[in-house]
Amino acid sequence: MNIPLIDLKAQHQTLRTEINQAIQTVLDRTDFILGQDVAKFEEEFASYCGAKYAVGVSSGLAALELSLLAFGIGPGDEVIVPAHTFTATAAAVTFSGAKPIFVDVDPVTWTIDPEKIKQAVTPHTKAIIPVHLYGLPADMDEILAIAKKHDLIVVEDACQGHGSKYKGKLAGNLGSAAAFSFYPTKNLGACGDAGMITTNDEQVAESARAMRNCGQRVKNVHELPPFNHRMDNIQAAILRVKLPYLNQWLEARRRLAGLYNQFLAGTHIVTPVEPAGYYHIYHLYVVRTQDRDGMQNQLKERGIGTAIHYPTPVHLQPFFLQNGQPQGSYPVAEKLCGEILSLPMYPEMTDEQAEIVAAEMKAILAAAG
Ligand SMILES: *Cc1c(COP(=O)(O)O)cnc(C)c1O
């Protein structure tokens, strides 16, 4: 039996008629760029997150970049980011003109470590980008307290966190602004690239709205940095079809995660934590195991798809080595990257499939002795 890491076809099959209809409507209307579905999806997504404003953009990276720029962050500024995340978190800082300052992650939650943030703050620090990694919110109370003390902006990287909650409040409404990605494999995925900024700050929303569309506040007056980071209207129409299903998909992911936790309890496999007051939405179900590469290869032989998110911490990626943080700079992140493994996880996966994955893992551990 083959169990893939993720199965986009399963979801598409159930929504195929609705999605085809939504696409056809846009084709008939021909409002392809910043059309009525973008405006409606912005309203619906802002309301979902409990944020006042939402600005649809072309990707999660564009959402991060425009958020930083809308707060006036640029050359000479420092922005604190976790060493363990997807590259885009740090790339957005570089593209804004500021410098990414990496800090290590917490050894238990794997999200940015507030104690390490305190040590990294300098007079140049302007912002912190906590990442809700794998769908678990970062430790926001601690992060917001540091931000308040030093007068820093907090931009949530919520690209993996649609619908995740911290003390009852939804991601997208936890900091100064938030960036979401609708890359097809994300918990809310388009049929192409798309992203969103959410914020309660009217001016930030307004600047981001102008920057995404060639810097125009008023037509033909290119006042702000003239990017093209517009959201495609067909993608918005598709996302409007999917948003009403998001909560039930998150519940399915949580049910499967609970089963994995239960089946893998008592083994050497370290399963993900969900501290009290957190609502993890398991964009990825990531475990930790010492012989990670062996486990991955043997699961592959047994027809089970896995992946590594991510095999190299961002400070050691060739592009960021110029920042000057060599191997050994962030030991928790570096060790984690050698031991993490993402197991199959998608809402349409069955309980039986989760049970098979866990049973195969136990058999592999038993054979290794
Ligand atoms: C996916 C992702 C991004 C970037 O999103 P794109 O839409 O691919 O640009 C940024 N940060 C994190 C943590 C992500 O997972």
Side-chain angles (χ1 to χ4, degrees), residues 59-62 64 85-86 88-89 131 133 157 159-160 181-183 186 193-194 283 310:
S59 71
L61 173 57
L64 284 165
T85 178
F86 182 58
T89 314
V131 180
L133 192 72
D157 182 337
C159 289
Q160 302 188 0
S181 165
F182 305 113
Y183 183 81
K186 304 284 161 125
D193 276 309
H283 165 58
Y310 301 88

Side-chain angles (χ1 to χ4, degrees), residues 26-42:
V26 177
L27 293 178
D28 290 340
R29 256 194 343 247
T30 69
D31 60 341
F32 297 121
I33 297 293
L34 298 180
Q36 75 178 55
D37 289 296
V38 171
K40 288 204 173 125
F41 182 55
E42 287 174 341

Side-chain angles (χ1 to χ4, degrees), residues 72-79 93-94 96-101 122-127:
I73 288 161
D77 297 335
E78 294 177 354
V79 177
V93 178
T94 303
S96 78
K99 185 178 182 196
I101 303 296
T122 75
H124 301 291
T125 309
K126 283 286 156 58

Side-chain angles (χ1 to χ4, degrees), residues 37 39-49 239-240 243:
D37 289 296
K40 288 204 173 125
F41 182 55
E42 287 174 341
E43 269 173 41
E44 289 157 6
F45 196 73
S47 144
Y48 177 84
C49 299
L239 289 163
R240 291 188 68 207
L243 182 60

